[in-house]
Amino acid sequence: MTDYGPLTLHVPEPAVRPGGTPDFSNVKIPKAGAVPRPDVDVDPETIRDLAFSIIRVLNRAGEAVGPWAGLLSDEELVEGMRNMMTLRTFDARMLIAQRQGKTSFYMQHLGEEAISSAFRKALQPGDMNFPTYRQAGLLIAGGYSMVDMMCQVYSNSRDPLKGRQLPVMYSSKEHGFFTISGNLATQYVQAVGWAMASAIRNDTKIAAAWIGDGSTAESDFHAALVFASTYKAPVILNIVNNQWAISTFQGIARGGAGTFAARGLGFGIPSLRVDGNDYLAVYAVAKWAAERARRNLGPTLVEYVTYRVGAHSTSDDPSAYRPKTESDAWPLGDPIIRLKNHLILRGAWSEERHKQAEAEILDTVIAAQKEAESYGTLHAGAKPSAREMFDGVYAEMPPHLRRQRQQAGV
Amino acid sequence: MPRMTMIEAIRDAMDVMMARDERVVVFGEDVGYFGGVFRCTAGLQQKYGKTRCFDAPISEAGIVGTAIGMATYGLHPCIEIQFADYMYPAYDQIVSEAARLRYRSNGEFTCPMVIRMPTGGGIFGGQTHSQSPEALFTHVSGLKTVVPSNPYDAKGLLIAAIEDPDPVIFLEPKRLYNGPFDGHHDRPVTPWSKHELSEVPSGHFSLPLGKASIVREGAAVTVLAYGTMVYVAQAAAAETGIDAEIIDLRTLLPLDMETIAASVRKTGRCVVVHEATLTSGFGAELAALVQEACFFQLEAPVARVTGWDTPYPHAQEWDYFPGPARVGRALVETMEA
């Protein structure tokens, strides 16, 4: 006889599945302005609470409140607004282009536009982002050519990556945007290495690592935190918690941990949580973390709490695993509407200006799209030469590849 | 010319490159203060400081992943995985990242780095201190794979690898660290000081990657070998009296097919030897290439003498390791075929 009952395996489940009523009552949302803003050289031990709260600036009324407010001018906020709107419009057009068969694949940012758009503005020229496939706001807000982005998505004759990469896997060294890999989390630890290199060379540049909630379960996430912590690398370790990893809810990656930010505490890394749909809060926290890195105070981990409103990709149908209206119930709202309300309250924006901006941006994106399509799309028009397939494997083409290129007849 | 062991030659190569190029950084597990479990980095931290040569956490993915980040910043990391058997946690970083950065970014980001790994058996290393995983690297587009067999080559090739603009896997046969080894485990080991290839030029010199070396000229049969098997092949040739032409490949990828094909066309016979397991091992690639390039000159099937298709055992070390008797038998059979 044993005193022990049979063991059972715990498999976390999201609160609601398709057909159910969305319920985010378990997501604790602190009031805007409620979380203090410590000095950047704070003892990490004294701000452990920040890994369990959510730094927010914009309140329900659209006012910017609390110690993290007041960093951005009207002009900067309007620019942020336009960048977010541009990204959303860009996404919408590319989604349609994929449906029209002009490319094979696309991934949109719907609902997450504030994070990469605002973060980009906290960096300086020369800093390097190590993004995932869902931070194109870094490129849009950084002034990268939309035509080039579309040419990459179309894999056409002007594709900067010569048709070698899946759509949205952009690369732009000049814009501080590291080449995107399909392999999740790999870039997280590379960002730490890049930051270590900057420190080894006594440079002043910093790195930013990006990862989603699901990918924090990859072992490279842990390696990155160990190395960042050990060598006090000048890196910002960003986690975009959009609640979903394809069909898997964030509880599968997070397990019993209070938050993703809390993971940083075990490594002695100051860890903050921020409202990812609050442009002002994202910018303020990014600025704080960048300042820490640049002052040689070491890494900061930031969890952006947001919601993936769109499908994971054009190959995904979320209605198979979550309620269709779940995004409407998301308590942190929509980043564009929230900034719009704030700007209107500041007197720096209006419904008319918003409509006008929407129309202007749509025109700009359509014009870029027309230009991009004039260089071809995946299945029509001009395309990268088949010779390109053999270039760039090595700095210099070795004999066996030269032979294969010859056999391919290109 | 100074005489060096392979360990000293490898250390000297890093010393030379660290002195010449501030971008060269060296790190790995126990590599810094202690100077490496095989002494390959002894004294480098003392000489160049903690930010040029340092200890790393026990995380192969972390070591390779951070080195990739450093390389894309503009450094030239020369990192160490303590045993090739422990490279698997870093395999994603090596295959999916280091090997492909140049290609996928159309040259925007490049990965000039060297990953040093002690490899090979013959030391009673058992399953996880004896493996020869070279085929797992040669199969990957974008990597170069190098295996030196003596102190002279080790230094020249390591300097070339550090200077190379692409990621290089540098496999160091640990059985050869202190002296050449021909597979006669029952005889005392001779130190490098008795061998002519322990004479290593001081200062900077390099050997081209992708060039094989003919270590014994012969007319009867071509033996393709690398690492420890170079000495085993030499012993086998001497003991059978077969006039074998023994080629030390030195670089597995890019491969020196010109030298290989010229030799096999001359001899009409070919035996491939390696410690790694047979099936889908690098020998399969060599046999296929020789068959394609020399079909009409071949007078016998291409033979392969390799480790068995089992994990590397402990007690059965000398039944597993392809020693001179097994290689000799293959030479005889190939001559009689």
Side-chain angles (χ1 to χ4, degrees), chain B residues 66-305:
Chain B
T66 52
I68 291 170
M70 290 177 197
T72 63
Y73 173 93
L75 299 186
H76 287 220
C78 179
I79 57 171
E80 179 180 304
I81 301 292
Q82 202 160 77
F83 288 87
D85 315 61
Y86 300 131
M87 68 85 188
Y88 303 102
Y91 199 56
D92 188 28
Q93 287 287 346
I94 295 171
V95 176
S96 311
E97 302 294 321
R100 297 193 193 150
L101 282 178
R102 178 187 297 277
Y103 189 74
R104 77 171 196 235
S105 70
N106 191 27
E108 272 198 328
F109 295 92
T110 60
C111 197
M113 68 189 279
V114 179
I115 310 178
R116 295 180 37 244
M117 304 179 198
T119 188
I123 57 151
F124 280 97
Q127 292 185 27
T128 56
H129 299 80
S130 307
Q131 294 170 32
S132 299
E134 61 271 14
L136 298 177
F137 300 116
T138 54
H139 190 56
V140 179
S141 311
L143 297 179
K144 295 181 179 174
T145 301
V146 177
V147 191
S149 67
N150 60 70
Y152 178 87
D153 286 0
K155 180 175 173 182
L157 291 169
L158 183 52
I159 287 177
I162 294 171
E163 290 176 336
D164 195 273
D166 290 309
V168 179
I169 305 294
F170 197 83
L171 293 162
E172 301 165 3
K174 57 183 125 27
R175 178 69 238 204
L176 302 180
Y177 268 159
N178 291 303
F181 177 67
D182 63 7
H184 284 293
H185 52 91
D186 45 349
R187 298 179 192 164
V189 177
T190 50
W192 275 116
S193 56
K194 302 261 192 288
H195 196 283
E196 57 172 356
L197 288 169
S198 72
E199 283 192 3
V200 180
S202 51
H204 181 274
F205 86 99
S206 69
L207 293 170
L209 304 185
K211 289 272 173 250
S213 137
I214 298 174
V215 297
R216 184 193 189 283
E217 288 197 15
V221 52
T222 300
V223 180
L224 303 180
Y226 49 92
T228 307
M229 299 313 292
V230 169
Y231 303 97
V232 175
Q234 284 174 296
E239 288 156 25
T240 55
I242 291 171
D243 185 22
E245 177 145 296
I246 300 171
I247 300 179
D248 178 356
L249 300 177
R250 300 202 288 197
T251 305
L252 307 190
L253 198 93
L255 185 67
D256 185 356
M257 258 320 280
E258 271 181 44
T259 300
I260 294 170
S263 174
V264 178
R265 283 178 191 140
K266 178 178 76 178
T267 62
R269 290 180 162 83
C270 181
V271 174
V272 175
V273 293
H274 60 58
E275 288 181 58
T277 50
L278 176 73
T279 302
S280 302
F282 190 64
E285 184 64 31
L286 290 171
L289 288 169
V290 165
Q291 180 272 135
E292 282 164 16
C294 314
F295 186 77
F296 295 106
Q297 288 85 15
L298 279 173
E299 291 172 36
V302 178
R304 287 181 287 166
V305 187

Side-chain angles (χ1 to χ4, degrees), chain A residues 100-182:
Chain A
Q100 292 170 334
K102 291 173 181 169
T103 184
S104 63
F105 181 76
Y106 191 71
M107 303 179 96
Q108 55 174 338
H109 304 74
L110 196 59
E112 301 176 37
E113 293 91 343
I115 298 163
S116 51
S117 302
F119 186 90
R120 178 63 182 79
K121 294 296 174 185
L123 296 182
Q124 290 183 2
D127 294 341
M128 185 61 72
N129 282 288
F130 288 74
T132 77
Y133 46 65
R134 224 186 294 279
Q135 276 88 43
L138 296 168
L139 289 173
I140 300 255
Y144 184 65
S145 150
M146 241 191 305
V147 176
D148 284 353
M149 289 172 76
M150 287 168 172
C151 289
Q152 197 282 326
V153 171
Y154 288 141
S155 288
N156 65 17
S157 60
R158 292 284 184 101
D159 174 2
L161 307 181
K162 306 292 182 191
R164 295 179 194 147
Q165 266 279 46
L166 200 65
V168 316
M169 306 281 181
Y170 311 108
S171 173
S172 177
K173 192 173 190 174
E174 190 194 339
H175 287 79
F177 193 94
F178 186 74
T179 158
I180 296 178
S181 168

Side-chain angles (χ1 to χ4, degrees), chain A residues 119 124 131 133 165 211 237 241 261 273 277 299 361 375 379 391:
Chain A
F119 186 90
Q124 290 183 2
Y133 46 65
Q165 266 279 46
I211 203 166
L237 300 159
N241 174 9
R273 262 177 122 222
N277 292 9
I361 286 167
Y375 305 128
H379 300 299
D391 283 336

Side-chain angles (χ1 to χ4, degrees), chain A residues 17-34:
Chain A
R17 285 295 193 185
T21 309
D23 177 17
F24 285 110
S25 55
N26 60 329
V27 182
K28 285 191 208 122
I29 311 288
K31 277 194 168 159

Side-chain angles (χ1 to χ4, degrees), chain A residues 30 108 131 144 203 239 267 273 321 340 359:
Chain A
Q108 55 174 338
Y144 184 65
D203 204 341
I239 303 171
F267 296 86
R273 262 177 122 222
Y321 51 81
K340 178 185 160 196

